[in-house]
Amino acid sequence: MDNFVSILNNSEISLEIKKSKFIGFSFFIENELEAQKIISNYCKQFADATHVCYAYVLNSIEKCSDNGEPSGTAGKPMLEIIKKMELKNVLVIVVRYFGGVKLGAGGLNRAYGDTAKQTLVSSGKAEYNACNNYKFTFNLGVEDKMFNKFYLNQVNVNSKYYSNLAVYEVSIFKQDCAKVLNDISETVKRNNYYTFLNSNYIKKEI
């Protein structure tokens, strides 16, 4: 998935609902292993809590857990909030400390859903665009032309330095890589002028 909307920042909020304390956490995640590791760590960190419930959406994967609450009253409403907000690659954990007053199925649905929603709202939203990172090496004489190519193709220049050649480290949106590399090749008259470094995401607040 090259482009999607997720949270801008991880966040934490705390609510008190009928004497029960609900603590919400949000996390940007890139894979299931990362999600499961975070969940495991928080279950250990809040081992004294009554329940540690979660929901996450990762590409086409959707998972949630009630962690001992009545079936469908915790993880499911949290998951529905994520889906309603059209977010991807996000994990929400809600920790509950029981305060002595039973909320009932409807009350639990609202409490977990509201905590998840407020946690995600406090996280902000961002558009994530997958990109490939490259190192370009070229003669100083074509630097102005190369910089113009980068500008016209909306290439992000992350850093640059000089020796007897100019060296630029840049990020190119994944869906544009073939077109951009082909366009730039007309300017650089040498072989092996770029090296692939890695892939990541560029995020923009929305």
Side-chain angles (χ1 to χ4, degrees), residues 21-205:
K21 185 177 182 181
F22 291 83
I23 311 171
F25 303 90
S26 65
F27 307 89
F28 175 80
I29 54 173
E30 295 191 57
N31 55 66
E32 275 206 281
L33 182 62
E34 181 184 9
Q36 292 299 330
K37 184 176 180 180
I38 294 170
I39 293 164
S40 176
N41 288 340
Y42 272 68
C43 285
K44 293 174 183 175
Q45 182 178 341
F46 293 95
D48 62 333
T50 315
H51 304 280
V52 180
C53 306
Y54 68 83
Y56 64 84
V57 174
L58 182 67
N59 299 325
S60 59
I61 300 169
E62 300 175 358
K63 290 189 177 180
C64 62
S65 170
D66 298 312
N67 190 235
E69 293 282 29
S71 180
T73 63
K76 185 177 179 181
M78 293 162 60
L79 181 60
E80 290 303 315
I81 290 294
I82 296 173
K83 292 165 64 176
K84 187 175 182 180
M85 296 178 71
E86 299 182 322
L87 300 175
K88 303 290 185 182
N89 290 53
V90 63
L91 162 68
V92 178
I93 295 175
V94 175
V95 175
R96 182 191 182 191
Y97 286 91
F98 181 57
V101 178
K102 292 185 178 181
L103 302 182
L108 288 170
N109 268 275
R110 288 188 294 274
Y112 280 98
D114 288 348
T115 305
K117 183 176 181 178
Q118 291 191 42
T119 304
L120 291 171
V121 168
S122 71
S123 300
K125 272 187 176 184
E127 181 179 41
Y128 286 73
N129 292 283
C131 65
N132 288 338
N133 300 308
Y134 297 91
K135 179 169 74 174
F136 284 83
T137 305
F138 46 86
N139 293 322
L140 296 174
V142 299
E143 184 180 15
D144 287 345
K145 291 182 179 179
M146 287 293 289
F147 189 84
N148 189 51
K149 290 284 188 181
F150 290 150
Y151 176 78
L152 292 175
N153 285 286
Q154 296 183 310
V155 172
N156 291 278
V157 177
N158 301 320
S159 66
K160 60 182 177 179
Y161 56 93
Y162 303 92
S163 54
N164 58 324
L165 297 170
V167 181
Y168 278 55
E169 292 190 2
V170 306
S171 299
I172 304 174
F173 293 130
K174 193 169 286 187
Q175 70 267 23
D176 297 334
C177 282
K179 177 180 74 69
V180 172
L181 293 175
N182 182 65
D183 186 29
I184 290 175
S185 68
E186 299 174 2
T187 301
V188 182
K189 305 299 183 181
R190 57 191 294 271
N191 295 324
N192 303 318
Y193 64 91
Y194 70 87
T195 303
F196 173 77
L197 299 175
N198 53 43
S199 297
N200 60 7
Y201 294 101
I202 294 176
K203 67 178 180 179
K204 180 181 179 182
E205 185 175 2

